[in-house]
Amino acid sequence: MATSSDRIIKNEIIEHLGTNIGNLQLRIFPESSNDDQKRFADGGLTFSYEGVDYGSCDACWLDRYTWQPIIALEGTDALNRKSSGNAQYQRFHHALGAVKNGLVGVYYLKKGIDKIQEDLYGMAYFASQKELGNYLIIDDLNILKQLLQLYGHSNLFQQFVQAHLHGMYQIFKAKFESRYQGNWQIFADKRSTIIKNNYVIKHAGRMRRNFTDGSQRAGHIAVGEMYLTKYYFYDKKLYYLFPKMTQTDIDFLDEHKATDKEWYLLRHEPNVEIKTVDDLIGVSPTIKQQLYAIRDEPLKGEAMQIYQSCVKEIELGLQNNVIKIAVC
């Protein structure tokens, strides 16, 4: 039986970093424990911000004199498990709760066959510009070890963090310039995004089943794409548009999936609103009828053709202000 990602990461943390470094004490739980799902204040490893739980971390380092958390880490062996695309974003929110609380959040992707997506460096860098704390992406625990050893030397600690953030930005920037010519409009055109003065619209072909069927992974992807768009445009409001869904679908999920992790985050992330075809003002009745007809159909074959045709018209209408998003 293959060793789980969780066990690999936790064993590596203990073996490579030990249980304490200087004035920092490690909080970590065995793979078999559910204690990490408790809120930090209750002895766990889940960080909350403004009442929202952002997922459990794998480890946290506390100041041994104040018992305040300093650095929280979420780790994964995804790079050795065929996770080469946006699946890497799926655990981004786990350390985000710590960052929102002013801590250093670390997302550790153990080196493997695949590489870290450059988008992930950008997401964390821009999150660090928006939130109280700083978010670091690493693939080598030696980087974290250096940071832990600098705790207690405030200036050196902060300089190390800022230097790593700068390096992350350079990785993101190089890829952004090569893939999108450094142009946000080109990015938007390729990533189903519409940029307005005070807000952005990100659209995706999600349907209700994506959030109710446990075999589906689209809910995880939806959350990752939400955070990517939110932090890339962190100074704007985000409307996350699901054209195949209706207000009835939203009401159903709010009632039946209120505690589902992915749906919960989508519905509670500040400055993010979920919108459906019912929230589009000025869209033609024909387009609405066509989208209603395929709302429960997987996007393939004829359903995909219909969806793409409808979305093309919706995109054009939104860009030209012929179609608008209803604002509550």
Side-chain angles (χ1 to χ4, degrees), residues 13-287:
I13 289 170
I14 294 172
E15 291 172 5
H16 196 79
L17 302 174
T19 57
N20 61 77
I21 292 182
N23 293 331
L24 291 173
Q25 177 72 44
L26 175 66
R27 178 184 289 183
I28 195 168
F29 300 104
E31 178 194 19
S32 58
S33 172
N34 290 322
D35 286 343
D36 56 357
Q37 296 177 22
K38 297 177 182 177
R39 290 185 174 181
F40 179 83
D42 298 324
L45 285 171
T46 297
F47 289 89
S48 303
Y49 186 73
E50 295 185 347
V52 177
D53 294 341
Y54 280 87
S56 60
C57 292
D58 288 317
C60 181
W61 286 264
L62 293 71
D63 185 305
R64 288 198 292 171
Y65 295 103
T66 65
W67 296 111
Q68 294 299 307
I70 307 300
I71 300 172
L73 176 145
E74 172 64 14
T76 180
D77 191 38
L79 300 184
N80 284 300
R81 298 169 188 247
K82 299 181 180 180
S83 182
S84 59
N86 58 12
Q88 293 179 17
Y89 311 158
Q90 293 177 16
R91 304 191 74 80
F92 178 84
H93 64 274
H94 284 248
L96 182 61
V99 175
K100 285 177 176 276
N101 278 281
L103 281 63
V104 174
V106 177
Y107 185 13
Y108 168 54
L109 295 95
K110 178 181 172 65
K111 286 182 180 177
I113 300 169
D114 293 307
K115 68 172 185 175
I116 297 175
Q117 287 294 305
E118 291 85 354
D119 281 339
L120 197 56
Y121 289 109
M123 291 166 68
Y125 174 82
F126 291 122
S128 302
Q129 311 310 302
K130 174 68 174 178
E131 307 299 351
L132 293 173
N134 292 302
Y135 201 146
L136 308 183
I137 305 296
I138 66 172
D139 62 1
D140 185 348
L141 285 182
N142 283 318
I143 297 171
L144 177 57
K145 187 173 186 178
Q146 292 178 62
L147 181 61
L148 292 168
Q149 291 171 336
L150 288 174
Y151 180 68
H153 305 279
S154 181
N155 289 339
L156 293 177
F157 185 89
Q158 290 302 324
Q159 288 172 15
F160 189 94
V161 169
Q162 294 304 315
H164 191 77
L165 285 172
H166 177 74
M168 288 164 45
Y169 177 73
Q170 294 305 314
I171 294 172
F172 156 77
K173 183 180 178 183
K175 183 67 173 184
F176 188 79
E177 290 180 346
S178 66
R179 186 172 184 182
Y180 306 112
Q181 293 78 61
N183 188 310
W184 284 104
Q185 189 55 57
I186 295 176
F187 168 88
D189 292 341
K190 291 186 176 182
R191 299 294 289 263
S192 303
T193 305
I194 299 161
I195 305 172
K196 295 292 187 177
N197 288 335
N198 300 315
Y199 62 92
V200 294
I201 302 166
K202 166 72 176 179
H203 62 84
R206 305 298 168 218
M207 59 183 179
R208 187 167 74 179
R209 182 185 169 200
N210 293 151
F211 301 98
T212 58
D213 187 338
S215 67
Q216 303 266 315
R217 301 295 293 176
H220 295 274
I221 295 172
V223 171
E225 290 287 342
M226 178 267 283
Y227 281 121
L228 182 145
T229 310
K230 169 176 174 153
Y231 286 119
Y232 272 22
F233 300 94
Y234 64 87
D235 57 344
K236 298 177 183 289
K237 186 177 184 66
L238 169 59
Y239 293 111
Y240 204 174
L241 174 63
F242 298 150
K244 282 182 76 225
M245 292 176 66
T246 67
Q247 185 58 49
T248 300
D249 294 325
I250 299 297
D251 293 341
F252 176 90
L253 292 171
D254 284 344
E255 180 180 356
H256 298 280
K257 305 296 289 186
T259 59
D260 177 82
K261 185 183 298 181
E262 285 74 35
W263 187 249
Y264 178 83
L265 290 172
L266 287 169
R267 295 296 276 162
H268 289 86
E269 183 60 29
N271 223 29
V272 175
E273 286 188 29
I274 303 297
K275 295 294 184 180
T276 73
V277 64
D278 292 335
D279 296 301
L280 296 176
I281 301 171
V283 68
S284 73
T286 301
I287 293 296

